[in-house]
Amino acid sequence: MKKILDAYVLDKNTDIGLFSHADPLWIARQNPEPHKALICALFAYGNANLIVKFLKSLDFSLLDKDDAYIQKSLNSHKYRFQNTRDVCEIFKSIKRLKNECKIEEILLNGYKNGGMIYAINSLICKIYSLNSYHSDGYDFFFGKEFENTAKSPYKRYNMYLRWMVRDSDIDLGLFKKLPKSQLLLPLDVHTHRVSQALKLCSRKSYDFKAVVEITENLRKFDPQDPIKYDFALYRIGQSGELDKVLAKI
């Protein structure tokens, strides 16, 4: 299994592999800055082509503008669950985050309390403290913090951390203080289905326990960089190559 997946990593974790299908990382690589990349990651739900189309329509320089200018500039932008007001408030919140603190430091402080999932929780809590606005679309975008135990896969945040912490092949490697050995799998429908088929996951539930189980199994293949397999697993599912992989086992 390791030999097969390593071969797929070499094939998929390349510019050719990345640009073979639409991916929000395209836009994050054009805007290699933590706050801009966070917007790209958190809008990454739904059809990949539509995600990229929407992200291309955004003016990330708005993060340096005042609230009134943001409001005026984004009055026609909406995406799936986020209406125009939601998109405006999202930009205001990320702008305040940018002006007040460094994302990596927030994540690092949370990480010290219990690992990557606590890093994510700390970031979510900080973002909500910056803006009193709430709506279904806004709250969906930023996700929910947990009190004791995580239940959600936190896919978009784990993908963001993969982009920011991994420092090789397709990822950005902008964060230098968080260990890539402790990253968690950005679990989506493709990676969940593929992981089940490859016996990397026994859980039928699409939840945080499934994230932990798959991550631990991938860590057996590469303890220092287990999430290097994420993009390959995703592409195997997205491209319909799973039968080919199973035939090799």
Side-chain angles (χ1 to χ4, degrees):
M1 177 71 73
K2 173 176 165 51
K3 184 178 179 180
I4 292 168
L5 289 181
D6 282 346
Y8 271 90
V9 166
L10 291 174
D11 179 53
K12 303 300 182 184
N13 286 15
T14 62
D15 283 353
I16 293 175
L18 175 62
F19 288 96
S20 64
H21 296 83
D23 195 282
L25 184 53
W26 294 3
I27 312 304
R29 283 179 37 152
Q30 293 171 8
N31 299 274
E33 189 276 331
H35 300 82
K36 296 174 184 178
L38 181 61
I39 291 174
C40 292
L42 295 185
F43 271 119
Y45 71 95
N47 179 275
N49 289 305
L50 295 180
I51 294 168
V52 170
K53 181 180 179 181
F54 178 75
L55 291 177
K56 284 182 176 179
S57 76
L58 295 175
D59 179 3
F60 292 96
S61 71
L62 292 175
L63 295 176
D64 297 316
K65 308 297 183 182
D66 61 38
D67 286 0
Y69 191 88
I70 291 173
Q71 191 83 29
K72 179 181 178 180
S73 301
L74 292 173
N75 61 10
S76 64
H77 281 72
K78 57 183 178 180
Y79 178 74
R80 297 197 72 196
F81 302 152
Q82 286 79 44
N83 60 32
T84 54
R85 175 73 188 279
D86 296 334
V87 175
C88 289
E89 296 298 333
I90 286 165
F91 264 75
K92 291 176 186 178
S93 296
I94 299 296
K95 181 196 74 171
R96 292 167 192 169
L97 182 68
K98 179 175 183 288
N99 291 339
E100 289 192 18
C101 46
K102 292 184 178 179
I103 292 179
E104 186 174 13
E105 293 303 319
I106 298 169
L107 292 167
L108 186 61
N109 288 334
Y111 172 78
K112 291 176 180 177
N113 289 329
M116 287 297 181
I117 194 60
Y118 289 91
I120 291 170
N121 209 45
S122 292
L123 179 56
I124 294 173
C125 291
K126 179 61 178 180
I127 290 169
Y128 281 126
S129 75
L130 299 172
N131 193 334
S132 61
Y133 176 80
H134 283 282
S135 72
D136 289 344
Y138 181 89
D139 293 352
F140 175 89
F141 181 83
F142 286 116
K144 294 181 179 180
E145 68 271 30
F146 62 87
E147 292 186 6
N148 298 311
T149 304
K151 295 181 180 179
S152 166
Y154 291 95
K155 178 256 182 179
R156 293 171 294 152
Y157 282 101
N158 280 315
M159 182 176 70
Y160 173 70
L161 284 169
R162 193 203 88 202
W163 294 354
M164 302 304 291
V165 175
R166 291 195 71 254
D167 55 357
S168 58
D169 48 73
I170 61 175
D171 292 313
L172 302 174
L174 299 181
F175 291 163
K176 307 300 183 183
K177 299 177 182 179
L178 292 163
K180 63 184 177 182
S181 62
Q182 298 305 307
L183 289 171
L184 297 167
L185 184 78
L187 186 66
D188 69 0
V189 293
H190 295 299
T191 52
H192 188 228
R193 179 169 58 86
V194 171
S195 296
Q196 285 180 312
L198 298 180
K199 310 299 183 186
L200 297 171
C201 181
S202 61
R203 288 187 64 79
K204 294 181 180 180
S205 299
Y206 178 75
D207 57 12
F208 184 66
K209 288 184 179 179
V211 170
V212 173
E213 181 183 2
I214 300 167
T215 301
E216 288 301 320
N217 281 322
L218 294 176
R219 194 167 280 125
K220 295 174 185 176
F221 298 152
D222 190 335
Q224 298 306 312
D225 190 13
I227 307 307
K228 74 179 185 183
Y229 296 103
D230 168 56
F231 193 68
L233 291 171
Y234 170 73
R235 281 289 194 244
I236 288 169
Q238 183 190 43
S239 62
E241 296 178 68
L242 179 56
D243 288 342
K244 288 183 180 180
V245 177
L246 292 173
K248 296 178 181 180
I249 298 175

